[in-house]
Amino acid sequence: MTKFADLNLSAATLKSIKRMGFEEATPIQASTIPVSLEGKDIIGQAQTGTGKTTAFGIPMIEKIDVKNPAVQGLIIAPTRELAIQVSEELYRISADKRARVLSVYGGQDIQRQIRAMKKNPHIIVGTPGRLLDHIKRKTLNLTNVHTLVLDEADEMLNMGFIDDIESILETVPPTRQTLLFSATMPDPIRRIAERFMTEPEVIKVKSKEVTVSNIEQFFTKVTEKEKFDVLSRLIDVQSPELAIVFGRTKRRVDELSRALSIRGYLAEGIHGDLSQARRMTVLKKFKEGRIDVLVATDVAARGLDISGVTHVYNFDIPQDPESYVHRIGRTGRAGKKGMSITFVTPREMGYLKVVEQTTKKKMTALKPPSHNEALEGQQRLALEKLTEATKESDLKDYYALAEEFLANHESIQAVAAAIRVLTKEPDTTPVDITEERPLPSRGGGRGNSRGGGYKGGSRSGKGGSGSNRSGGYNRGGGSSRGGDRNRSGGSRPQSSSKRKSYNS
Ligand SMILES: Nc1ncnc2c1ncn2[C@@H]1O[C@H](COP(=O)(O)OP(=O)(O)OP(=O)(O)O)[C@@H](O)[C@H]1O
Ligand SMILES: [Mg+2]
């Protein structure tokens, strides 16, 4: 085990790390920080939730000259929420050194960002589109950047993002150090990445499986029609502390969050068509536990670190194995336990095999719970609440009434009534969920799982500067940026003109 104190870090950074509560460096931190401090380019791959942010954050902060007012570090992230989160983590690492960190992303007032730029931030964390926008407006000068990080590099280099990234890189000195991090790094993407790196060192934390062992992985075979009832019952049986339900499209997310609310769950949805203010409010409520279930498209699959997420439900199986790895990685973080349950329709069993081949881990089959099992789950939850309440010392005020009640009722009847009152009985209110077509049938091979391969097709018709690319997170073959993901029905959803927009 490596202690941060053994990594040759400055006193200021060590102090900040201590304040963050970190004692030992995680394996990816221990293996990349020394190499990064030497100035080498790195492709860093380690499982979800194992501290990659701090792994690139510490050396970047170490190398900032706070007396120099120029932007010296640039971090590019695929989504707005991730850009915000990463900037917050860097801010914490730099609490003592006091390097200035600024996040810029689409959907936020650009004038406000321009004003913030004038306060000479040392590090910029941004999404590709908005960064380009600032570069074009000449409100962001990257000529003094010595350290560049692509967080979730494979995601950004895959399909469509590559043009933006290349344009940004053209404005950064070629002598810079480039660091790429992700939990997944398919070979074709790695080869693209190496094009703009200098003799990168590939640092991969060795593990048998791509996913972390603290996530218990299940699948359940269900028909499209059964899915929603099965989801409700699973939530009732498993009573997650916080759960994320991933759906394939934005419409799916809207319908699911509405349906869950109708059935009495505290659920809200997040996807790329919502305003940035709304996205932030929903995420904040989820982090604070004011909603228990976050329903999301893949916009929330990458990098988000929300403590207390105990369950991930893949309401629709993702078609890319990488997406699966990142989705389930929203639980089981920083050594905590988690559980994932993936719904598979009979025709989609081939996708399950592909996922398992990629993760090198078999999922355990889970029988969908019955109505009675769901009821029992909720009753047990009620009993837990009752047991908790008996530990309270100030129940005395209730004794008189309790005695009066027990004089007229059997004790078993009294307790049963209390449990019943506290039980949220499984709700079977009919809800409207549009049926999603199954993914096109496929065999078991990994082969061509992402359709046309990693071509990095270009994104035409880039939205005007500062525009909110409201397309959300499309990977569909269609050209409509505002459309849902994969609406292409029975045909293969990804053609060679793969592209996604993601609200930079
Ligand atoms: N050395 C450490 N000791 C304890 N906790 C840590 C340490 N480093 C990071 N963490 C915590 O672990 C959690 C996960 O970290 P982080 O988000 O950086 O993971 P990641 O590897 O980037 O995951 P993903 O692949 O999902 O992006 C965070 O809550 C972070 O604060
Ligand atoms: Mg990360």
Side-chain angles (χ1 to χ4, degrees), residues 48-49 51-53 56 82 85-86 151-152 181-183 302-304 330 333:
T48 52
K52 292 186 286 295
T53 319
F56 62 71
L82 187 56
Q85 181 187 299
V86 168
D151 194 15
E152 305 296 340
F181 280 84
S182 181
R302 291 250 178 181
L304 293 190
R330 295 319 98 210
R333 300 178 70 75

Side-chain angles (χ1 to χ4, degrees), residues 4 17 20-26 28-29 46-56 82 85 89 92 151-152 181-184 301-307 325-326 329-330 333-336:
F4 283 106
I17 295 168
M20 289 164 85
F22 300 170
E23 282 158 18
E24 275 161 2
T26 64
I28 189 74
Q29 291 163 358
Q47 296 160 320
T48 52
T50 58
K52 292 186 286 295
T53 319
T54 301
F56 62 71
L82 187 56
Q85 181 187 299
E89 181 103 336
R92 281 193 290 271
D151 194 15
E152 305 296 340
F181 280 84
S182 181
T184 51
R302 291 250 178 181
L304 293 190
D305 183 65
I306 300 163
S307 67
V325 170
H326 293 276
R330 295 319 98 210
R333 300 178 70 75
K336 295 215 183 79

Side-chain angles (χ1 to χ4, degrees), residues 54-100:
T54 301
F56 62 71
I58 288 177
M60 178 176 275
I61 297 287
E62 287 288 88
K63 285 192 275 170
I64 299 295
D65 172 6
V66 282
K67 293 199 199 84
N68 178 352
V71 175
Q72 300 157 56
L74 175 67
I75 302 173
I76 314 180
T79 64
R80 301 162 177 188
E81 286 74 14
L82 187 56
I84 296 168
Q85 181 187 299
V86 168
S87 71
E88 286 168 351
E89 181 103 336
L90 263 88
Y91 179 81
R92 281 193 290 271
I93 300 172
S94 185
D96 292 84
K97 180 163 179 172
R98 297 190 166 272
R100 290 182 294 272

